[in-house]
Amino acid sequence: FSKPFNPVGAIIEYLHIVVAVMLVIIMLSVPYVVLTKKPKYSSEGLLNINPYLPKVLYGVEDSNFIRSFEDWMRTQIKVITSYPVLETAIKNYESQGFKWRFAGESMQSAVGRLSNRVKVVQIRDTQLIIVSFESSSATGLAEIINSVIKAYIDSIDAHNRSEDNYKLELLRKEREKVQKELDTGYRQLEEISLKHGTAITEEKNLYVYMEALGDIKKTYNRMVTDRIIAESRMKALKNKQGALKDVPISGLVAERIDASQGISLLIGQILG
């Protein structure tokens, strides 16, 4: 401190330290700018999803299915960002001539990067889902969104086809079971027909016999109803017949004739 301070001499003396500090600052500032730099381009797609609530088949518990619309929408968001959907989206994207995977990068790593970049958000209280993507380049931006949406739609179609095939298989087995029972019953009906010498119909459908039996029951019930109504009417007529026997009909008729002005006038004309 007894000597006067010489800035130029100090910089020259410690030039290597100054250069090292400047290099460190540059090395730290470049990644910071790259990481904090906001993308210039963005693209988004809008999905209008029709709610599909699975129906109960053959007594399956309701608690096994999704309970509310919000849960169902959250599930669709998870499906969109799932590994199979994003893997299909990357393959579809690259089939259009674009590159997503780096050289030597595995598909798992590529799917992880896409999962971190793509944003899937539901517009609250609606059945709309926004799929958005941001990038510093506009090249292939819309195509990656379209690839994700297409992969999701294809996965839903495949899932619905799988469920439909499963239901059709169950119904086919149920039909074979019922048809087997009908064939067995028809064989028994043929044996009974041969034993008693009666004819049978060629229709091998149990519902035909059930419908005929239902018609017979309806006819019988209608006949019983008509019989009850007829008996009630006959009883009412008998009661009226007993009451009519006690009424002095001839006297009432004579009184009506005498009281009638027309009859009295006619009698007077005859007597005159």
Side-chain angles (χ1 to χ4, degrees):
F1 293 97
S2 60
K3 296 180 181 180
F5 178 70
N6 186 4
V8 178
I11 293 175
I12 295 174
E13 183 178 359
Y14 300 101
L15 182 61
H16 61 286
I17 299 178
V18 174
V19 173
V21 171
M22 291 179 65
L23 289 176
V24 170
I25 293 175
I26 293 173
M27 292 174 63
L28 293 177
S29 62
V30 171
Y32 175 80
V33 172
V34 173
L35 294 176
T36 58
K37 183 181 179 181
K38 294 184 179 180
K40 296 181 180 180
Y41 303 97
S42 65
S43 178
E44 66 179 23
L46 191 64
L47 275 172
N48 184 4
I49 303 177
N50 292 323
Y52 173 76
L53 301 180
K55 297 180 179 179
V56 179
L57 184 64
Y58 298 118
V60 180
E61 293 294 334
D62 295 341
S63 58
N64 294 336
F65 294 106
I66 301 170
R67 298 183 179 180
S68 70
F69 173 73
E70 289 295 332
D71 291 339
W72 187 81
M73 291 298 292
R74 283 192 289 268
T75 301
Q76 300 312 303
I77 292 176
K78 292 182 180 179
V79 172
I80 295 174
T81 57
S82 63
Y83 185 91
V85 171
L86 296 183
E87 180 183 8
T88 304
I90 291 174
K91 293 179 180 179
N92 184 31
Y93 180 70
E94 292 183 341
S95 67
Q96 302 177 48
F98 299 98
K99 293 294 294 182
W100 176 259
R101 285 178 290 181
F102 298 137
E105 184 182 17
S106 64
M107 178 59 73
Q108 185 175 2
S109 175
V111 170
R113 286 194 301 108
L114 181 58
S115 177
N116 294 330
R117 296 283 300 278
V118 69
K119 305 299 180 184
V120 183
V121 181
Q122 175 198 0
I123 300 178
R124 186 165 182 82
D125 297 332
T126 66
Q127 59 192 57
L128 301 176
I129 290 180
I130 295 178
V131 182
S132 60
F133 193 89
E134 294 181 346
S135 176
S136 57
S137 174
T139 305
L141 198 58
E143 285 76 8
I144 190 67
I145 293 293
N146 293 334
S147 298
V148 172
I149 293 177
K150 183 179 183 302
Y152 165 73
I153 295 175
D154 292 343
S155 69
I156 294 299
D157 291 341
H159 178 72
N160 291 339
R161 284 196 300 269
S162 176
E163 283 191 347
D164 293 340
N165 292 334
Y166 174 73
K167 294 176 183 178
L168 287 175
E169 182 65 19
L170 288 179
L171 293 175
R172 186 186 64 80
K173 292 181 180 179
E174 188 69 16
R175 180 180 180 277
E176 291 178 353
K177 178 182 177 181
V178 173
Q179 187 63 44
K180 184 177 180 180
E181 294 177 354
L182 287 176
D183 292 340
T184 303
Y186 189 76
R187 298 282 82 80
Q188 295 177 356
L189 187 61
E190 284 182 336
E191 294 176 359
I192 295 173
S193 175
L194 292 174
K195 180 178 179 181
H196 297 282
T198 57
I200 61 173
T201 177
E202 291 298 328
E203 180 62 47
K204 301 179 182 181
N205 195 333
L206 180 62
Y207 299 103
V208 175
Y209 306 112
M210 296 300 295
E211 185 177 358
L213 180 60
D215 293 339
I216 293 174
K217 289 183 178 180
K218 290 179 182 179
T219 305
Y220 174 75
N221 293 335
R222 186 167 58 252
M223 292 175 64
V224 171
T225 303
D226 294 341
R227 179 180 177 181
I228 294 173
I229 294 174
E231 290 178 349
S232 300
R233 290 179 177 176
M234 289 296 296
K235 185 177 180 180
L237 289 174
K238 287 182 179 179
N239 294 335
K240 290 182 179 180
Q241 182 181 7
L244 289 174
K245 287 181 179 179
D246 299 333
V247 175
I249 298 177
S250 58
L252 293 175
V253 172
E255 291 178 359
R256 290 291 180 89
I257 292 175
D258 294 339
S260 175
Q261 295 180 359
I263 295 298
S264 300
L265 181 60
L266 181 60
I267 291 174
Q269 290 177 356
I270 293 174
L271 290 176

